[in-house]
Amino acid sequence: MGIFIILMGVQGAGKGTQARLLSEKYGIPQVSTGDLFRAMKTQDTPLAREVQEIMKRGELISDELTNRIVRERLAQDDAQAGAILDGYPRSQGQAQALDAMLRERGQQVKLVALLELDRHLAIMRAEGRRFSLDKERTYNIYFNPPQYRVAGVWLDDKTKEPLIQREDDYRDAVVRRIDVYFETTRPLIDFYQAQGKLVHVNANQSIEAVSEALIQAVEQHR
Ligand code: ADP
Ligand code: ADP
């Protein structure tokens, strides 16, 4: 049947962190629309440039383009048995498109986990987020720092190279995106609540505790 799990939650709630853990546990890929759009950076097409501009402003990409990108990603071999969706859907239009996409394949969303975190903590989590150069490891300078800091520069535990910050993780852009989140996601929460698929998870716990809660929710919905 496939295991399609949606991780919802404000910026900084831990979707990326948890998607990676669930992906390892269930052997299905993490599909992050933010990562897919960021990967377009290397392309020099009018569309790719437009996407970059919209992201820089902290606004949302159109449903049409977002749905297309997800459809293409889910058509790949590794996503036939399921995926952990991180950052998608973010509107009712996207949620309906996803339902239709999966229905065509005889599949459906299994579970929607809402990682709940208040606005203040979300701002700190997103603003304090740092990545290794290969983006494989995520740290947080306030909550989950690396071992070393040399002359004010945080270093990756594994490679000892300087950590990088996403260019839209500066305070103003973070606050703007978080406000958009709280304004726009309510209908989506109601949509999945009505389908009986929504599970609330307290995101203000250790990474391990959140992970355990998520795995328990997945097992109960299997
Ligand atoms: P999202 O994908 O929801 O925006 P991330 O997974 O990127 O969130 O996490 C945001 C930041 O918070 C990262 O710096 C990450 O290391 C940190 N983080 C994630 N989960 C926790 C947690 N449970 N406790 C403390 N820090 C966390
Ligand atoms: P964040 O959750 O911090 O905004 P993401 O990595 O999820 O970060 O997304 C980065 C940017 O990519 C968003 O600000 C938005 O411009 C675009 N984006 C990602 N996912 C979607 C989506 N589902 N719908 C529309 N735009 C999206």
Side-chain angles (χ1 to χ4, degrees), residues 83-115:
I84 315 291
L85 294 160
D86 157 14
Y88 178 90
R90 276 194 216 194
S91 69
Q92 232 175 325
Q94 292 180 10
Q96 280 159 351
L98 176 65
D99 273 2
M101 251 180 254
L102 294 179
R103 209 177 309 122
E104 279 170 24
R105 304 158 47 135
Q107 294 170 316
Q108 58 174 316
V109 171
K110 183 167 292 294
L111 176 77
V112 182
L114 177 62
L115 300 179

Side-chain angles (χ1 to χ4, degrees), residues 44-144:
D44 190 22
T45 64
L47 184 65
R49 280 194 294 274
E50 191 188 327
V51 164
Q52 294 312 315
E53 285 307 313
I54 295 171
M55 288 175 79
K56 249 190 228 157
R57 293 199 298 269
E59 293 169 10
L60 292 178
I61 312 288
S62 71
D63 282 356
E64 193 200 347
L65 176 58
T66 307
N67 292 331
R68 201 170 83 208
I69 268 204
V70 171
R71 178 182 282 278
E72 283 170 12
R73 179 64 188 87
L74 293 184
Q76 290 174 19
D77 286 349
D78 64 341
Q80 297 315 300
I84 315 291
L85 294 160
D86 157 14
Y88 178 90
R90 276 194 216 194
S91 69
Q92 232 175 325
Q94 292 180 10
Q96 280 159 351
L98 176 65
D99 273 2
M101 251 180 254
L102 294 179
R103 209 177 309 122
E104 279 170 24
R105 304 158 47 135
Q107 294 170 316
Q108 58 174 316
V109 171
K110 183 167 292 294
L111 176 77
V112 182
L114 177 62
L115 300 179
E116 294 183 304
L117 193 69
D118 71 39
R119 186 173 179 278
H120 172 72
L121 276 175
I123 293 172
M124 284 187 75
R125 288 250 195 112
E127 199 199 336
R129 170 163 54 194
R130 299 289 186 277
F131 296 91
S132 58
L133 277 180
D134 59 8
K135 310 263 173 71
E136 291 294 319
R137 290 166 295 287
T138 310
Y139 299 90
N140 193 287
I141 61 169
Y142 308 118
F143 304 110
N144 179 26

Side-chain angles (χ1 to χ4, degrees), residues 141-156:
I141 61 169
Y142 308 118
F143 304 110
N144 179 26
Q147 274 177 289
Y148 302 104
R149 189 184 188 194
V150 177
V153 179
W154 298 98
L155 305 180
D156 181 21

